[in-house]
């Protein structure tokens, strides 16, 4: 706040018009200082509000980051499971190929049917591996976007279901083969 001081004797000796102009001038300076102080207080409040909002945003960002890390761990576990299932499928396919070769020696028409089934399974395994690779690329490219993680988890569940179906199908083929040769 500007400090108001009493006029000196010399100032009082000025004509009345000059005294009025000086008084009005100091009055508008005081008013301007008051306006500046109000603006300062407004800006100070806005700054405090922005600081609070920034803290809230930082907290929200931290929570989203933790959620993203948790989703990444889950996805890595699912990918590991997929890798295990893929290895099992590859072993089953190899075993199936051997069975087909033996069957071809005994019953060529039956062997060709099994071979066709194995080729279909191989194509499905390749497709599953390609999907897994695509999922990994998408995950690494978009790992800071939580919504993408949810879609990837859904896709992984579908992949697990498909892998389970393929395992069941391989078991069905084995059983069929044993019954056929039985």
């Amino acid at each position: 706040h500007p400090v108001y001081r009493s006029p000196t004797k010399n100032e009082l000796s000025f004509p009345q018009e000059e005294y009025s102009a000086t008084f009005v001038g100091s009055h508008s300076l005081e008013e301007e200082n008051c306006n500046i102080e109000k603006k300062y207080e407004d800006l100070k409040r806005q700054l405090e509000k922005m600081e609070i909002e920034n803290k809230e945003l930082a907290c929200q960002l931290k929570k989203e980051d933790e959620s993203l890390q948790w989703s990444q761990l889950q996805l890595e576990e699912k990918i590991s499971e997929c890798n295990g299932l893929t290895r099992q499928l590859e072993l089953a396919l190899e075993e199936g190929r051997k069975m087909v070769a033996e069957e071809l020696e005994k019953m060529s028409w039956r062997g060709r049917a099994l071979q066709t089934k194995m080729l279909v399974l191989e194509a499905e395994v390749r497709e599953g591996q390609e999907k897994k690779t695509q999922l990994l690329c998408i995950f690494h490219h978009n790992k800071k976007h939580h919504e993408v993680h949810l879609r990837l988890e859904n896709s992984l569940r579908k992949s697990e279901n498909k892998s389970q179906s393929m395992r069941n199908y391989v078991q069905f083929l084995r059983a069929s083969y044993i019954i056929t040769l039985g």
Side-chain angles (χ1 to χ4, degrees):
H1 293 287
V3 177
Y4 181 75
R5 59 178 179 77
S6 300
T8 62
K9 207 174 199 184
N10 288 340
E11 290 172 336
L12 290 174
S13 66
F14 285 113
Q16 184 65 31
E17 296 166 356
E18 285 185 29
Y19 177 73
S20 293
T22 305
F23 180 74
V24 168
S26 75
H27 180 69
S28 43
L29 278 177
E30 188 174 321
E31 190 175 306
E32 189 176 332
N33 279 346
C34 187
N35 287 339
I36 289 171
E37 191 172 315
K38 284 180 184 176
K39 286 180 184 177
Y40 167 77
E41 291 298 325
D42 285 344
L43 288 172
K44 187 177 173 184
R45 278 191 294 277
Q46 288 178 13
L47 179 63
E48 290 170 353
K49 184 179 177 184
M50 288 175 75
E51 287 174 349
I52 290 170
E53 288 173 0
N54 283 347
K55 286 178 183 176
E56 289 172 354
L57 287 173
C59 184
Q60 183 180 353
L61 186 62
K62 183 180 177 187
K63 287 179 183 175
E64 287 179 6
D65 193 41
E66 289 170 357
S67 174
L68 181 67
Q69 289 175 1
W70 184 78
S71 293
Q72 183 178 357
L73 285 174
Q74 274 195 324
L75 182 61
E76 287 171 0
E77 287 175 11
K78 297 294 182 188
I79 288 171
S80 178
E81 287 177 29
C82 267
N83 287 338
L85 289 174
T86 300
R87 281 191 292 276
Q88 289 177 9
L89 282 171
E90 287 170 350
L91 290 172
L93 279 171
E94 186 60 36
E95 188 178 323
R97 284 188 199 107
K98 289 176 185 175
M99 291 167 59
V100 167
E102 293 170 5
E103 184 66 18
L104 280 172
E105 291 174 12
K106 297 176 183 176
M107 302 166 35
S108 62
W109 68 270
R110 183 70 181 151
R112 281 194 294 275
L114 285 174
Q115 189 174 23
T116 302
K117 299 289 183 188
M118 289 300 137
L119 290 174
V120 169
L121 283 174
E122 283 179 324
E124 289 177 356
V125 167
R126 274 194 305 276
E127 181 183 330
Q129 288 173 332
E130 288 170 5
K131 282 185 182 179
K132 181 183 78 174
T133 303
Q134 288 173 350
L135 289 174
L136 277 173
C137 289
I138 291 170
F139 172 74
H140 288 301
H141 181 69
N142 298 314
K143 67 180 178 181
K144 291 194 178 188
H145 301 286
H146 185 64
E147 292 173 9
V148 172
H149 290 292
L150 294 177
R151 286 194 296 266
L152 287 174
E153 287 173 6
N154 185 32
S155 183
L156 276 173
R157 277 194 290 276
K158 287 179 183 177
S159 180
E160 286 175 348
N161 290 340
K162 189 169 185 175
S163 293
Q164 182 62 43
S165 294
M166 285 191 289
R167 260 199 324 257
N168 292 342
Y169 190 62
V170 167
Q171 289 174 353
F172 169 75
L173 283 176
R174 283 183 185 156
S176 295
Y177 178 72
I178 290 169
I179 289 170
T180 303
L181 292 178

